[in-house]
């Protein structure tokens, strides 16, 4: 029987399938955009990113505090992306980052679905966006569709890499431009987030192992150019980072000791994300549905494994290279990347933001099933459609689920629903602008204290978080604020106000302290304000020293901070950036990254042998 043809000779069923798929993309993208917009916000950590962008736009360089070279933002690409659009539009940075984040989040879903459609083939089959529905149904996915953090950039990079690799594996003839384009995109991984290097390196390995595009260049030359194209930008930035900041990776990795292991907290973070939504249910259902679909295709003869005698080594190598450029290899890459990133996140202890650091991993696992064909022979079709229907039902229930009910209180596990926390503490349904955070406790009193002290000084909050204490400088100087919430403080104060945190995200001295083993993840360093007092130059006995600071400690810290290695570390970020300083930073950056001080002055004196 001849299938009726539609426009331009395209069969009606195939044309209908394409129209249905296009409609599914539009509906899913709109749902995600609306869901992300309804939960729009910018986190305190998102405002922290914008402080560096403000300094860039002001000509102070990519720093958080003027005169101190510290890379506070984990994603270099995210920082410069916001800077570019901020420079281009001259719009308010909070609105710039809100628009960029939402656009990237929606684009990620679109590219993910396009890649999955290429994997399964559109044809005349009905493709259901079931995997995409699973992702956008999760409240954390909609929370971090905005937030001002790099989450949207991460999933968009993954989605484009997925789409590009599937397209590369499906196209019979690939030009050099497309081949080098994929290599360049894979090479951006460490600039998006350092741990994505695992994904980018694996993708590049597949490209180099696969048969090369037909051209007149020698294979070794093509592979060499691909390595150069992929590595030129990240390697150049890495050398610049080591020389400028004096570290081989962002200061956030030092502050959070990303190389250390916290397995118990990591498993707790994973369970905190999976259990409230019963996330294993849709993942299991989609896994079975994908297996049924592949099984049906194999039985239909679309994929068969040839038998016969065991081939020679050269033939096995040839087959391996051919399989490297196949949709199956790309699927294995993404599933394996998701598993590796989950293992990494568990090892480092997870995060304090509910779900945030596991969203890219989930996205990787869902990429092959972002859309699924609903066609299968016989009973398998009923099973397949039942699994898809059950997953859609789960998505409807999960969309309104509340995982954390502690509200403005931090749970015993130290994991919080950050968006809900800041909504309740600021009194704003959508805290986006810096002034939206003025309702946060202690922020307005801090601003009044700055305004009431024209001679400057060090502002410290009491241990009970109830009052601000100003330590005047020996002579008029600028203001320094020492507090944990970097974003809301730094975006509500001028750039000449130095903002430091006891956890060390923006403060090298605190970043290089030893962590507390069982403290809240992401907050497991806490440098005492006595150190900030000495470091800020308040070294003499002072009649207005806050009651909770110890004169004995301050005296010993004055000696401990003079440790030559500590002074060398601080010079890497504070000394004028001469050619010699740059060279010294490059060659000593790994030593600086490993260096740690003890927050207890007696122990630090002993460690440095200054006692």
């Amino acid at each position: 029987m001849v299938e009726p043809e539609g426009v331009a000779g395209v069969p009606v069923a195939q044309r209908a399938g394409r129209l249905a798929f296009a409609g599914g993309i539009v509906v899913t993208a709109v749902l995600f955009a609306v869901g992300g917009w309804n939960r729009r916000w910018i986190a305190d950590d998102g405002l922290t990113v914008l402080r560096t962008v403000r300094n860039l736009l002001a000509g102070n360089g990519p720093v958080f505090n003027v005169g101190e070279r510290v890379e506070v933002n984990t994603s270099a690409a995210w920082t410069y992306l916001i800077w570019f659009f901020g420079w281009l539009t001259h719009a308010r940075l909070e609105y710039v980052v809100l628009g960029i984040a939402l656009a990237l989040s929606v684009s990620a879903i679109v590219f993910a679905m396009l890649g999955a459609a290429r994997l399964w083939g559109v044809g005349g089959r009905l493709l259901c966006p079931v995997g995409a529905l699973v992702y956008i149904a999760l409240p954390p996915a909609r929370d971090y569709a905005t937030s001002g953090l790099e989450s949207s950039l991460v999933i968009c990079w993954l989605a484009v890499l997925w789409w590009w690799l599937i397209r590369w594996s499906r196209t019979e003839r690939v030009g050099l431009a497309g081949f080098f384009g994929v290599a360049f995109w894979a090479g951006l991984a460490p600039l998006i987030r350092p741990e994505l290097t695992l994904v980018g390196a694996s993708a590049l390995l597949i490209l180099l192992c696969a048969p090369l595009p037909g051209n007149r260049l020698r294979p070794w030359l093509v592979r060499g150019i691909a390595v150069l194209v992929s590595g030129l930008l990240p390697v150049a930035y890495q050398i610049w980072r080591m020389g400028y900041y004096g570290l081989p990776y962002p200061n956030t990795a030092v502050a959070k000791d990303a190389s250390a292991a916290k397995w118990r907290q990591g498993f707790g973070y994973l369970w905190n994300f999976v259990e409230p939504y019963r996330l294993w249910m849709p993942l299991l259902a989609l896994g079975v549905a994908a297996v049924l679909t592949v099984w049906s295709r194999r039985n239909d003869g679309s994929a068969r494994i040839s038998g016969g005698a065991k081939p020679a080594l050269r033939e096995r190598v040839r087959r391996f290279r051919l399989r490297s450029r196949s949709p199956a290899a790309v699927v294995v890459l993404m599933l394996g990347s998701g598993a590796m990133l989950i293992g990494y996140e568990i090892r480092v202890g997870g995060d304090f933001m509910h779900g945030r650091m596991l969203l890219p991993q989930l996205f990787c696992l869902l990429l092959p099933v972002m859309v699924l064909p609903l066609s299968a022979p016989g009973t398998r079709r009923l099973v397949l459609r039942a699994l898809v229907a059950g997953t859609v039902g789960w998505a409807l229930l999960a969309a309104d689920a509340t995982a954390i009910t502690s509200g403005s209180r931090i749970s015993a596990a130290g994991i919080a629903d950050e968006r809900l926390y800041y909504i309740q503490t600021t009194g704003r349904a959508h805290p986006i602008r810096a002034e939206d955070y003025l309702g946060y406790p202690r922020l307005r009193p801090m601003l009044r204290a700055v305004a009431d002290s024209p001679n400057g000084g060090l502002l410290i909050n009491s241990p009970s978080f109830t009052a601000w204490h100003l330590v005047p400088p020996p002579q008029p100087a600028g203001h320094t604020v020492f507090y944990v919430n970097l974003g809301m403080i730094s975006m509500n104060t001028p750039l000449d106000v130095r903002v430091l945190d006891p956890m060390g995200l923006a403060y090298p001295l605190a970043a290089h302290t030893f962590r507390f083993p069982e403290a809240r993840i992401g907050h497991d360093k806490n440098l005492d304000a006595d150190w900030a007092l000495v470091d800020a130059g308040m070294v003499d006995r002072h009649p207005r020293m806050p009651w909770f600071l110890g004169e004995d400690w301050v005296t010993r810290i004055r000696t401990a901070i003079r440790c030559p290695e500590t002074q060398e570390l601080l010079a890497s970020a504070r000394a004028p950036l001469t050619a010699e300083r740059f060279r010294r930073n490059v060659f000593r950056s790994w030593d600086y990254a490993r260096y740690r001080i003890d927050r207890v002055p007696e122990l630090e004196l002993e460690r440095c042998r200054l006692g």
Side-chain angles (χ1 to χ4, degrees):
M1 180 177 178
V2 179
E3 188 174 2
E5 292 186 350
V7 179
V10 179
V12 173
Q14 186 174 346
R15 187 163 174 262
R18 290 177 178 176
L19 288 174
F21 172 63
I25 286 183
V26 171
V27 170
T28 307
V30 168
L31 285 175
F32 194 30
V34 172
W37 179 256
N38 288 340
R39 301 172 79 96
R40 65 192 179 278
W41 70 306
I42 293 182
D44 177 66
D45 284 15
L47 294 176
T48 300
V49 174
L50 299 186
R51 167 78 167 209
T52 300
V53 178
R54 282 177 66 197
N55 273 306
L56 273 168
L57 293 171
N60 298 324
V63 299
F64 189 80
N65 291 307
V66 178
E68 192 166 55
R69 297 181 300 275
V70 180
E71 190 176 15
V72 175
N73 306 338
T74 304
S75 173
W78 185 235
T79 300
Y80 289 99
L81 188 65
I82 300 169
W83 165 79
F84 173 76
F85 282 101
W87 169 81
L88 185 67
T89 63
H90 298 284
R92 182 163 179 152
L93 289 178
E94 292 94 323
Y95 297 140
V96 170
V97 74
L98 186 71
I100 294 173
L102 193 57
L104 288 174
S105 295
V106 175
S107 299
I109 286 294
V110 172
F111 275 102
M113 293 175 66
L114 288 173
R118 274 188 172 268
L119 173 68
W120 299 109
V122 179
R125 290 177 291 275
L126 179 62
L127 295 176
C128 179
V130 61
L133 289 177
V134 168
Y135 186 80
I136 70 174
L138 289 168
R142 285 173 281 142
D143 286 348
Y144 293 101
T146 54
S147 85
L149 297 165
E150 73 279 357
S151 303
S152 55
L153 177 62
V154 170
I155 63 169
C156 189
W157 179 82
L158 287 169
V160 172
L161 181 66
W162 157 254
W163 166 80
W164 213 335
L165 286 173
I166 287 290
R167 185 171 178 267
W168 164 77
S169 70
R170 285 289 196 189
T171 305
E172 291 185 7
R173 303 183 67 179
V174 180
L176 282 177
F179 180 76
F180 292 144
V182 183
F184 173 78
W185 190 259
L188 294 178
L191 301 179
I192 306 297
R193 269 194 75 91
E195 65 266 29
L196 291 181
T197 304
L198 293 169
V199 188
S202 301
L204 185 61
L205 183 62
I206 285 181
L207 290 172
L208 298 180
C209 288
L212 299 177
N215 60 85
R216 297 179 180 180
L217 298 177
R218 293 183 179 274
W220 65 265
L221 182 58
V222 174
R223 290 188 172 94
I225 294 174
V227 172
L228 181 66
V229 167
S230 66
L232 186 61
L233 187 58
V235 169
Y237 183 82
Q238 179 65 17
I239 294 172
W240 179 83
R241 167 189 277 156
M242 294 164 72
Y244 188 81
Y245 295 112
L247 289 174
Y249 34 72
N251 185 66
T252 50
V254 178
K256 298 182 180 182
D257 271 340
S259 61
K262 281 196 169 185
W263 292 100
R264 185 183 61 81
Q265 287 178 295
F267 280 111
Y269 184 68
L270 177 64
W271 184 247
N272 179 269
F273 179 52
V274 171
E275 194 276 334
Y277 312 108
R278 308 296 192 271
L279 195 51
W280 62 83
M281 296 172 63
L283 291 179
L284 180 61
L286 291 179
V288 174
V291 170
L292 281 176
T293 304
V294 173
W295 186 21
S296 299
R297 294 192 171 197
R298 286 182 179 273
N299 288 343
D300 289 342
S302 58
R304 296 188 184 279
I305 301 175
S306 59
K310 184 177 180 180
L313 176 61
R314 187 168 184 175
E315 176 63 16
R316 292 202 298 271
V317 171
R318 189 187 72 85
R319 291 186 183 182
F320 172 77
R321 291 181 57 199
L322 288 173
R323 288 168 182 164
S324 296
R325 190 186 158 193
S326 67
V330 180
V331 170
V332 170
L333 166 69
M334 287 304 174
L335 295 181
S337 297
M340 286 191 296
L341 290 175
I342 288 173
Y344 171 79
E345 199 59 41
I346 293 174
R347 185 184 184 277
V348 299
D351 192 48
F352 63 93
M353 300 185 189
H354 168 70
R356 179 204 165 201
M357 295 306 296
L358 288 172
L359 287 173
Q361 290 86 331
L362 176 66
F363 194 79
C364 278
L365 297 179
L366 290 173
L367 281 172
V369 292
M370 282 290 178
V371 296
L372 267 179
L374 298 182
S375 57
T379 307
R380 275 172 283 177
R381 180 184 304 166
L382 297 177
V383 175
L384 177 63
R385 295 187 177 184
L387 291 169
V388 169
T391 304
V392 172
W394 170 91
L396 294 174
L397 294 174
D400 292 325
T402 301
I404 296 180
T405 58
S406 55
S408 59
R409 294 177 291 104
I410 305 299
S411 66
I415 302 170
D417 183 332
E418 285 286 290
R419 175 180 162 274
L420 182 60
Y421 173 83
Y422 283 116
I423 285 175
Q424 294 186 354
T425 53
T426 62
R428 297 275 186 170
H430 301 287
I432 294 172
R433 303 170 303 170
E435 56 264 35
D436 291 338
Y437 279 84
L438 291 176
Y440 188 82
R442 299 171 290 281
L443 190 54
R444 287 186 190 275
M446 182 276 297
L447 295 176
R448 284 196 296 268
V450 170
D452 293 341
S453 53
N455 290 331
L458 176 67
L459 271 170
I460 310 170
N461 204 259
S462 63
S464 59
F465 302 108
T466 56
W468 287 96
H469 297 265
L470 176 72
V471 182
Q475 55 188 5
H479 289 91
T480 298
V481 181
F482 186 70
Y483 194 62
V484 66
N485 292 104
L486 286 175
M488 63 180 73
I489 291 176
S490 64
M491 285 298 286
N492 278 293
T493 53
L495 292 177
D496 59 359
V497 174
R498 193 165 173 241
V499 182
L500 305 175
D501 64 310
M503 297 183 302
L505 295 178
Y507 191 16
L509 199 61
H512 289 269
T513 57
F514 294 105
R515 73 196 302 191
F516 294 100
E518 299 302 321
R520 184 189 181 200
I521 192 69
H523 298 71
D524 41 16
K525 291 186 178 180
N526 190 10
L527 186 67
D528 299 282
D530 311 66
W531 285 87
L533 179 75
V534 174
D535 189 36
M538 320 292 181
V539 295
D540 298 323
R541 292 181 62 90
H542 206 290
R544 294 179 58 184
M545 181 180 293
W547 59 267
F548 51 85
L549 300 185
E551 186 67 39
D552 292 340
W553 261 48
V554 169
T555 300
R556 287 191 289 271
I557 289 171
R558 289 172 59 186
T559 304
I561 204 171
R562 290 200 295 266
C563 178
E565 293 174 327
T566 302
Q567 288 300 307
E568 170 64 19
L569 172 73
L570 295 176
S572 70
R574 297 175 180 175
L577 190 64
T578 61
E580 173 58 25
R581 180 77 259 172
F582 188 94
R583 185 197 66 81
R584 188 174 181 84
N585 280 0
V586 168
F587 287 103
R588 296 208 58 189
S589 59
W590 288 99
D591 295 330
Y592 296 148
R594 289 189 292 264
Y595 184 69
R596 294 294 181 270
I597 67 173
D598 201 301
R599 57 181 287 274
V600 180
E602 290 87 349
L603 299 179
E604 176 61 11
L605 288 168
E606 181 181 346
R607 185 196 67 81
C608 200
R609 295 182 174 85
L610 293 173

